[in-house]
Amino acid sequence: MDPNAVLSLCHEHAGAEAELDMDRVLATLVPVPRFEFFPMAKYMAGWDRIERFYREQYPAFAPTVTGYQMLGEWTNERAALQEYVIEVGGPSESPGTYHVMSMMPVDEDSGLLTGERLYCPEGFVRALLGPIFGKLEPVAGA
């Protein structure tokens, strides 16, 4: 896929997240998305789980973000990578300042995101996922 198209798709996904437009967010994903969290080597996958996260948990998480800065973004024909510093406060389970790298791979056939691979501290994952955190599964072979 053209790297500019990959980056546009990732911007659409992130923009929809920022606007809490979950229908738009979900429209950027393949039918069986997978979200992985490293270095924890845990994941969640499947439409039902990801849709539940975006419709129920993400709107609860978003107001706890008190600030963020994108440090950079990179892309090629297979994925985009965005690096952030995200400040989480408020009623969050894990307040703090977190460095987060999000890689968003693209499925070549459908032109949609296969999910996200996040490299971040466990505290950020706990804040992001809330009660869903306990349902993560181990990444095989990691």
Side-chain angles (χ1 to χ4, degrees), residues 23-74:
D23 290 333
R24 273 180 51 215
V25 170
L26 294 168
T28 65
L29 299 172
V30 296
V32 185
R34 180 180 173 108
F35 283 60
E36 297 178 339
F37 304 93
F38 290 94
M40 294 173 38
K42 302 275 185 158
Y43 79 96
M44 65 179 179
W47 187 261
D48 291 341
R49 292 180 100 183
I50 302 303
E51 181 179 29
R52 180 174 171 231
F53 162 71
Y54 273 115
R55 294 204 188 275
E56 296 174 16
Q57 179 54 33
Y58 195 84
F61 164 73
T64 70
V65 175
T66 58
Y68 74 93
Q69 177 184 9
M70 182 188 291
L71 301 178
E73 63 183 356
W74 303 265

Side-chain angles (χ1 to χ4, degrees), residues 73-92:
E73 63 183 356
W74 303 265
T75 189
N76 63 22
E77 64 281 348
R78 295 179 23 210
L81 178 71
Q82 296 177 324
E83 181 181 13
Y84 292 93
V85 174
I86 301 174
E87 297 171 28
V88 179
S92 169

